[in-house]
Amino acid sequence: VDLESPEEMEEEIPVVICAAAGRMGAAIAAISSIYSNTEANVLFYIVGLKTTIPHFRKWIENSKLKEIKFKVVEFNPMVLKGKIRQDASRPELLQPLNFVRFYLPLLIQKHEKVIYLDDDIIVQGDIQELYDTKLAPGHAAAFSDDCDLPSTHEMVRSVGMQNTYMGFLDYRKQAIRDLGISPSTCSFNPGVIVANMTEWKHQRITKQLEKWMQRNVEENLYSSTLGGGVATSPMLIVFHGKYSTINPMWHIRHLGWSPDTRYSEHFLQEAKLLHWNGRYKPWDYPSVHTDLWENWFIPDPSGKFKLTRPDS
């Protein structure tokens, strides 16, 4: 009898991560950090556009990451047609891959529970712990609350970070006021998501998110000044009061918010997941805590992707 080896029996942990042109090194470092810090059976879903996938595949296959289990999924930006308002101030936020998190059930088959991660993260803990996050009955997703971390409160004040709904939604608009959500409600960051696919489909979350994207195109409902507002705002509306929370140490963020605001080294060592959300990315210059990121980076064998450093 062909008995499956225990490894085959072990639950697969699906992790969705995007590989965007110009920042593929980010996805490489993220994957490398996850893979190096766990014994769990991780299956990486690497989502890209047709043009970038071959380069990424080569990078994995010609590095120590060739051992990982991965599936490459091509994202078709046509699904976004008519759903995105062009915003000249931060065009990078309109990258089609920013919206991959809206379409998880279309990309992932057969998994009940899925982890979605932005590319500008490093995982220092065991991803199994994040996967074990409990979702309350009826919740399709878990996120990190923006008011959950005392250590970030200082930073929030010093660099004017947004941590309430008022920073993301335009409360001068009737459609927003009609939601009945107080503007001082704590926002959450959708760069790290633990999602339940059954609930997601059952509640037709993707449809709801698309509806709010569409309405924004017609009525300009989100604060356009906002970094990340484009993909975050619909989620804030759809998941309001209906999400579970992720342990704050599993999403230490704002590392990319300012080129000179730093966290204490001790705190960063305790952190399970670091997120350089904001403009100052660790593969660019200037940025902070780049050593923690570079630790996991694997240079591009083709030489196309290069780190920007003060001496380069």
Side-chain angles (χ1 to χ4, degrees):
V1 206
D2 186 0
L3 286 175
E4 289 196 319
S5 66
E7 189 171 88
E8 302 283 296
M9 304 287 292
E10 181 184 25
E11 192 175 8
E12 243 175 11
I13 298 183
V15 173
V16 176
I17 204 152
C18 295
R23 39 195 292 166
M24 284 196 241
I28 288 284
I31 290 168
S32 147
S33 71
I34 294 165
Y35 178 65
S36 309
N37 288 311
T38 188
E39 295 289 302
N41 179 15
V42 180
L43 172 61
F44 292 97
Y45 281 85
I46 297 161
V47 187
L49 303 177
K50 206 187 206 108
T51 46
T52 50
I53 288 172
H55 176 194
F56 200 79
R57 199 184 273 280
K58 276 208 188 72
W59 195 335
I60 287 178
E61 287 164 358
N62 292 300
S63 76
K64 62 176 188 194
L65 291 180
K66 59 176 176 290
E67 305 294 312
I68 69 169
K69 281 173 44 181
F70 71 102
K71 278 185 178 158
V72 171
V73 182
E74 187 190 319
F75 184 66
N76 182 354
M78 287 312 289
V79 298
L80 301 172
K81 203 170 155 55
K83 300 189 188 83
I84 303 178
R85 168 182 277 278
Q86 293 309 317
D87 175 12
S89 66
R90 301 247 343 242
E92 76 275 14
L93 296 173
L94 298 177
Q95 288 267 0
L97 296 177
N98 254 337
F99 300 93
V100 161
R101 66 196 101 188
F102 289 16
Y103 295 97
L104 295 175
L106 297 181
L107 303 167
I108 304 275
Q109 267 72 50
K110 83 180 172 55
H111 297 282
E112 168 81 0
K113 199 176 191 185
V114 173
I115 293 174
Y116 165 88
L117 299 172
D118 274 353
D119 62 358
D120 50 359
I121 62 111
I122 288 294
V123 171
Q124 304 187 123
D126 182 343
I127 196 83
Q128 179 77 51
E129 257 181 65
L130 180 60
Y131 185 73
D132 291 341
T133 300
K134 293 260 182 292
L135 272 68
H139 284 177
F143 306 98
S144 270
D145 245 320
D146 282 336
C147 307
D148 62 9
L149 268 189
S151 58
T152 54
H153 293 179
E154 279 311 301
M155 285 182 72
V156 168
R157 282 196 289 275
S158 66
V159 291
M161 253 175 246
Q162 312 290 344
N163 65 355
T164 63
Y165 272 56
M166 196 162 85
F168 293 86
L169 304 176
D170 185 346
Y171 275 85
R172 292 168 307 191
K173 300 282 160 69
Q174 195 55 46
I176 295 300
R177 291 203 300 269
D178 288 347
L179 289 166
I181 300 172
S182 155
S184 61
T185 304
C186 220
S187 50
F188 56 79
N189 181 303
V192 176
I193 308 174
V194 181
N196 176 315
M197 292 296 94
T198 309
E199 278 298 334
W200 192 291
K201 289 181 227 167
H202 176 67
Q203 297 178 32
R204 308 186 58 186
I205 298 287
T206 299
K207 275 276 168 284
Q208 294 187 55
L209 290 165
E210 287 188 322
K211 180 188 93 174
W212 284 103
M213 287 168 84
Q214 209 104 43
R215 286 197 66 175
N216 182 49
V217 172
E218 293 151 18
E219 306 169 50
N220 199 12
L221 302 174
Y222 314 152
S223 280
S224 55
T225 49
L226 231 95
V230 210
T232 301
S233 302
M235 297 197 95
L236 290 178
I237 295 173
V238 171
F239 285 102
H240 174 253
K242 290 205 295 260
Y243 65 92
S244 298
T245 52
I246 288 171
N247 169 347
M249 294 313 274
W250 269 100
H251 195 173
I252 301 301
R253 47 206 179 279
H254 310 312
L255 275 79
W257 206 268
S258 135
D260 40 35
T261 314
R262 302 177 69 90
Y263 284 110
S264 85
E265 291 305 320
H266 172 73
F267 177 66
L268 291 177
Q269 270 156 14
E270 302 288 295
K272 307 281 193 176
L273 182 148
L274 305 171
H275 187 186
W276 278 262
N277 59 318
R279 288 169 192 247
Y280 301 97
K281 304 298 188 195
W283 54 92
D284 271 336
Y285 180 81
S287 58
V288 292
H289 303 300
T290 46
D291 50 324
L292 292 172
W293 183 86
E294 255 183 80
N295 216 353
W296 305 107
F297 175 68
I298 298 166
D300 180 359
S302 80
K304 280 192 209 114
F305 180 94
K306 291 183 181 63
L307 301 181
T308 312
R309 292 300 178 246
D311 44 11
S312 60

